[in-house]
Amino acid sequence: MSLAAAADARSHSHRFDDGNPLAERNTRRALWLTAAMMGVEIVGGWWFNSMAVLADGWHMSSHALALGLAVFAYACARRYAQDPRFAFGTWKIEILGGYTSAIALLGVALLMAVQSAQRLFSPSAIHYDQAIAIAVVGLAVNLLCAWWLRDSHGHGHGHDHGHAHTGHAHHGHHAHDHAHDHGHAAHAQDLNLRSAYLHVLADAATSVLAIAALVGGKFWGAAWLDPVMGLVGAVLVTVWAIGLLRDTGRVLLDAQMDAPVVAEVREVIEQGPWPAQLADLHVWQVGRGKYAVVASVVTTAEVSADQLRAALSIHEELVHVTVEVNRLPAPLSGAAASNR
C-alpha cells in the first residue's frame, strides 16, 4: 500500500449514509407535537379520572421516545460524521438509546397496569365528555404525525464510492482486501423513519381503543371498559418494549449470525465457481440495513480477495468487507502421487 493510500484510509469517514434532512425536520416537528399531546393526555386523564386516556398518554410517551431517538441519531450522525473515534459511525448511539428507553417503558407499563387494576376494583366517576374530547385530539395528533412521517418517505439519498487495499503476500500466498461501499440507492429507504411511522399508526390504534371505551361507558354504562382499556394499553407498551429490548440487544451484542445475509455470504463464497471453504466468518450490523463482514477463506484455486469481494458486492447491504484468502497447495493427482 502506498503512503497516499494509507493516508486516505486513515482519513476515510466510516459513515454509511448521508442522512435525510426532510425526515429529520419532520421527525422533530412530530416529536414536539407528540410531547405536548402526551402531557395533555396524561394530565387530562388524571384530572378527568380516565385510565384509558391516561394509558394512551403513557403509550404516547413511548412514541415520543422513539421519535426523540430518531432525532438524536440524525443529529449525532451529522455532528460526529468525521470523528475518527467512531470506527463504524454513530448509528449505535440510536440503538443504545432505544435499549435504555425500552427499560424505562417497562416501568411505565407496570405503573399503568397497577393504576388500572386499582381503578377496576375501586371505580370512581369519569368526566366522559372532557375525556373523549382529549382522546379525539390525541388521535388527530397521531394522524397528523403519521402524515408528516409518510411525506418524508422516498426523500432519502445516498452516494457510493469505494476503494480497496490489497496487502502484500506472505507465507506462500496471503491476500487481504478492505473495501468500503457507502450506499447505492438514490432513494434509500430510511428504516428508522419507517419504524417511527409504524409506531405512530400503532399509537393511533390505542387512541381508538380509548375513545371506544369512553363512548361505551358514557352511553351504555360500561364503566369497566375504561380501566380494562388501560390494562390493554399497558400490555401494548410491554409488548413493544420487550420487542425493542430484543431487537436493540441483538445489535448491541452483535448477535446477528442468524441473519439472512450470513447465509448469503456463505453461499457466494462456498458455492461459487471455485473450490473454497470459509475458515472463519463474522457478520455484524453497522447501520440501517447495513452489515460489516470479516471472512477468512481457504482454497486450492487461483482466486484472489478481489474476486471474492466482487462476488459479494451483489449484496448491497454489505458495506464494509474484509476478505482474507489462504491458499493451500493443490492435491496431487493419482498418477503423480504413484510416481513419487
Side-chain angles (χ1 to χ4, degrees):
M1 181 191 298
S2 67
L3 292 177
D8 177 65
R10 287 194 299 270
S11 63
H12 183 67
S13 172
H14 293 270
R15 182 178 177 182
F16 303 107
D17 61 76
D18 284 336
N20 189 338
L22 178 61
E24 181 178 359
R25 182 170 63 252
N26 283 346
T27 304
R28 186 177 291 109
R29 292 164 63 190
L31 169 63
W32 291 120
L33 182 59
T34 298
M37 192 62 225
M38 175 192 72
V40 170
E41 286 197 332
I42 291 175
V43 173
W46 173 78
W47 185 264
F48 297 118
N49 203 30
S50 170
M51 285 309 303
V53 172
L54 188 61
D56 189 51
W58 283 119
H59 182 69
M60 189 170 277
S61 70
S62 68
H63 164 49
L65 283 172
L67 292 174
L69 286 172
V71 171
F72 183 68
Y74 287 134
C76 282
R78 284 187 288 100
R79 180 175 180 180
Y80 297 109
Q82 306 301 325
D83 193 325
R85 294 177 300 172
F86 295 91
F88 291 99
T90 55
W91 176 70
K92 283 193 175 180
I93 293 177
E94 174 188 346
I95 305 303
L96 182 60
Y99 184 86
T100 305
S101 68
I103 296 176
L105 284 176
L106 288 176
V108 169
L110 178 61
L111 179 62
M112 289 168 54
V114 170
Q115 290 181 341
S116 296
Q118 290 175 342
R119 194 65 56 86
L120 183 63
F121 293 105
S122 301
S124 55
I126 300 175
H127 301 277
Y128 286 107
D129 291 337
Q130 297 90 333
I132 290 174
I134 292 175
V136 169
V137 174
L139 177 60
V141 167
N142 286 325
L143 295 178
L144 177 58
C145 291
W147 181 73
W148 279 342
L149 296 177
R150 182 178 178 82
D151 186 57
S152 303
H153 279 294
H155 292 274
H157 60 278
H159 71 285
D160 65 329
H161 62 274
H163 55 270
H165 312 297
T166 303
H168 60 276
H170 59 89
H171 297 295
H173 182 90
H174 182 96
H176 178 76
D177 177 83
H178 197 175
H180 304 275
D181 186 7
H182 289 227
H184 292 274
H187 300 286
Q189 185 182 38
D190 190 333
L191 297 180
N192 185 52
L193 179 66
R194 181 178 175 222
S195 66
Y197 171 69
L198 293 177
H199 186 59
V200 169
L201 293 184
D203 202 51
T206 305
S207 296
V208 171
L209 288 176
I211 293 171
L214 291 168
V215 170
K218 177 179 179 179
F219 292 103
W220 295 290
W224 55 270
L225 276 176
D226 190 71
V228 166
M229 288 301 140
L231 291 172
V232 171
V235 171
L236 289 177
V237 173
T238 300
V239 170
W240 188 77
I242 291 175
L244 185 59
L245 279 173
R246 181 178 61 250
D247 294 340
T248 55
R250 289 180 71 247
V251 175
L252 292 173
L253 296 174
D254 296 326
Q256 295 173 301
M257 288 301 290
D258 58 345
V261 68
V262 177
E264 294 170 355
V265 171
R266 291 185 182 277
E267 179 181 2
V268 168
I269 293 178
E270 297 187 337
Q271 299 182 21
W274 45 67
Q277 293 291 326
L278 276 165
D280 195 19
L281 177 64
H282 300 275
V283 180
W284 67 101
Q285 195 169 0
V286 294
R288 300 179 184 92
K290 306 298 183 181
Y291 294 83
V293 176
V294 174
S296 178
V297 181
V298 176
T299 180
T300 58
E302 293 291 331
V303 58
S304 68
D306 284 337
Q307 290 174 291
L308 294 173
R309 182 177 64 85
L312 288 170
S313 67
I314 64 173
H315 298 295
E316 295 184 356
E317 64 271 31
L318 303 179
V319 295
H320 193 108
V321 179
T322 300
V323 177
E324 179 185 82
V325 177
N326 295 284
R327 181 96 26 84
L328 297 179
L332 295 175
S333 65
S338 64
N339 292 328
R340 291 190 60 180

